[in-house]
Amino acid sequence: VERKFRDGYVGQWNLTAQYLITSDTLLEAAYHGSKSTRLPTRLNYNQINPFPAQPPSFQQNFPYPSASSVNILESRGASNYNALQARLERRLVRGFTLLASYTWQKSLADMDAVDGGFANGAGPFGPQDIRNLRANKGPAVFDRPHRLALSSLYELPIFKNRGGLVEGVLGGWQIGAITLFQSGAYLTPGVFGVSFTGSRANLLGNPNLSSGERSIDRWFDVSKLANPAPGQLGNAGKGTIQGSGHNKWDLVVQKNFKIAESHRVEFRTEFFN
């Protein structure tokens, strides 16, 4: 553990405004921000010097030749978060209620937490060179630029106020939905089948494809990626490729059958997709 290890801290700020559109409908908009400083990190200080090894000999000079990994727990990590959040809420009026929440956000970090509450300097998401964490600043692994969540419930007006058996059986049915749409995770391209390089690929252009060009076999353009030459670091940043998004629909159909003054039976069927 670093001798001068210090606990990390987070500063947060927000500004929220609410507006009553009608007596039953509320609109809320908010800005949320935060900055995290001195986050715990774990880096291998037995990284060869220079890194990567240089031609022609590619000699690997380790600072501690008699050891393998020399992981030091430090407080070097940093991140920040900025988001616009909006919410539309309609209370249950005339058999209809709605709640919609939207977030447009960006979360940047120079290290990503993997286990134990600290960031690990390994793999393509870790920094290529532990001496330069700033070069690893990019979208956090949990960053989702856009997220929209909707939930609603509607009571069908048919056979309402009919009374008797007709309303008891055919009236009062409710249909509800919960839907979620969000952007995909950010992916970081790594090297493949090459030695004496950094962990990142080189970018030859924009590897992201438009939604109409994507398929299950070709979600991004591989031709825009290449291995760096031996002795070089790849230039691909962290979170270069946008991964697959999320589109989820859940539905419910339900009705309460009144048996007696203090008893009822609920019929409920749910569909998850």
Side-chain angles (χ1 to χ4, degrees), residues 19-76:
Y19 179 70
L20 204 59
I21 300 176
T22 68
S23 58
D24 305 302
T25 306
L26 174 71
L27 177 64
E28 178 181 284
Y31 163 72
H32 290 266
S34 69
K35 185 178 187 301
S36 304
T37 307
R38 297 195 184 99
L39 298 178
T41 58
R42 185 179 63 185
L43 296 169
N44 176 23
Y45 271 75
N46 207 15
Q47 178 179 278
I48 59 177
N49 188 19
F51 180 78
Q54 302 296 302
S57 62
F58 294 107
Q59 185 174 352
Q60 299 186 37
N61 300 312
F62 291 94
Y64 309 100
S66 61
S68 53
S69 296
V70 181
N71 294 313
I72 299 181
L73 183 63
E74 302 174 291
S75 45
R76 290 181 59 188

Side-chain angles (χ1 to χ4, degrees), residues 149-167:
L150 301 169
S151 63
S152 62
L153 187 67
Y154 179 58
E155 186 175 57
L156 299 177
I158 58 176
F159 301 108
K160 202 172 183 179
N161 302 322
R162 292 289 187 91
L165 185 62
V166 174
E167 181 180 355

